[in-house]
Amino acid sequence: MVNAFERELGIPKPRCCSTGDCCKGVSPSTPFYKLLKRAAEGDEFARNFFSIMIPYASHAEARQVVPGIVAKTVEAARKLPEFENDEYDVVFYRCRYLQEDNRCGVHEDRPQFCRDYPDTPFVVMAPECAYIPWAKACKKKYFEMREKVSHLEELKAELTALREGKGGLETIDDAVFSDHNGDDRDRDDPNLSLVLSLTDIFLASPHQSFIFSY
């Protein structure tokens, strides 16, 4: 399934290399106790998650299996206020249906959050994951778009100030939004409007892998 970042940024995901690490070192972006509460309240994602995921007894146990994911996840969690205590808030899991050959034992019936992975490039991935180049390319293009939007917002603020101060500047839009060559493509670039929607997606993703790494 093509996700929003693939579709809007035009950067297709590569083929999975089937290391199985994403199924061996899962850690949701929601602290354990909050996710458990959501499951008790009937949240579909939380209940599906706990139905197939088996928690490791400790970080040390998970580190023996997926050391790279554990290290990157704990580092990322320390940047987020909702993860106050790494040992209790960040819990690692493995999928009960992962087979010895790293293939999914229920591939045709796997949950939606497995099908969507990675639904955003802003997730922790194993060091050797095939999706890392894709994630880097998406983030690079995304932040370039954010800078462009920020620049246009500054120009808009300047335009507003000029209008309020002088008035009657009906033609200033074209002058402000055109570059030195008279090219006003930035003003009409439809991709700029995607930044806000993509921001919402990567900040609010409920899906697997889950701790955002910037």
Side-chain angles (χ1 to χ4, degrees):
M1 179 179 178
V2 176
N3 66 30
F5 284 88
E6 292 180 273
R7 181 176 64 253
E8 307 298 359
L9 299 183
I11 304 175
K13 286 191 295 188
R15 185 178 181 84
C16 175
C17 60
S18 300
T19 65
D21 285 348
C22 58
C23 304
K24 299 173 186 175
V26 179
S27 183
S29 57
T30 302
F32 168 75
Y33 65 93
K34 290 185 178 180
L35 193 64
L36 193 63
K37 182 175 182 293
R38 284 172 51 183
E41 294 172 346
D43 181 86
E44 182 177 1
F45 167 80
R47 298 187 71 172
N48 285 340
F49 181 83
F50 284 119
S51 72
I52 69 171
M53 295 298 173
I54 302 172
Y56 289 97
S58 64
H59 286 191
E61 183 181 1
R63 195 175 289 112
Q64 292 178 352
V65 181
V66 281
I69 287 181
V70 172
K72 291 172 69 176
T73 298
V74 171
E75 179 184 0
R78 288 172 179 161
K79 302 175 184 178
L80 302 175
E82 56 264 43
F83 291 90
E84 298 177 357
N85 189 319
D86 294 341
E87 193 63 34
Y88 296 100
D89 292 344
V90 180
V91 178
F92 293 92
Y93 304 78
R94 60 182 175 84
C95 179
R96 67 176 71 247
Y97 296 114
L98 184 66
Q99 302 178 120
E100 291 185 3
D101 62 357
N102 291 327
R103 299 290 180 176
C104 178
V106 292
H107 189 264
E108 294 302 320
D109 298 316
R110 67 194 186 282
Q112 189 62 45
F113 61 80
C114 296
R115 298 174 185 272
D116 292 340
Y117 181 84
D119 59 328
T120 163
F122 293 88
V123 296
V124 170
M125 300 176 185
E128 65 275 16
C129 180
Y131 294 125
I132 288 180
W134 171 79
K136 289 182 177 179
C138 284
K139 286 188 281 189
K140 180 177 183 295
K141 189 168 184 178
Y142 170 78
F143 284 117
E144 288 175 350
M145 290 168 63
R146 281 187 60 174
E147 289 180 4
K148 184 179 289 188
V149 169
S150 178
H151 177 61
L152 291 179
E153 288 176 344
E154 291 175 359
L155 291 177
K156 181 179 179 181
E158 293 177 7
L159 171 62
T160 300
L162 286 171
R163 279 179 166 166
E164 291 177 349
K166 297 181 180 180
L169 301 180
E170 293 82 2
T171 62
I172 197 169
D173 292 88
D174 291 332
V176 171
F177 283 97
S178 297
D179 63 18
H180 296 297
N181 296 320
D183 187 352
D184 62 355
R185 285 175 298 176
D186 283 352
R187 185 185 179 192
D188 299 322
D189 186 352
N191 288 330
L192 295 180
S193 63
L194 299 173
V195 173
L196 293 179
S197 62
L198 292 177
T199 298
D200 291 340
I201 291 172
F202 93 73
L203 287 178
S205 169
H207 299 304
Q208 183 176 340
S209 211
F210 318 128
I211 299 287
F212 303 121
S213 56
Y214 295 88

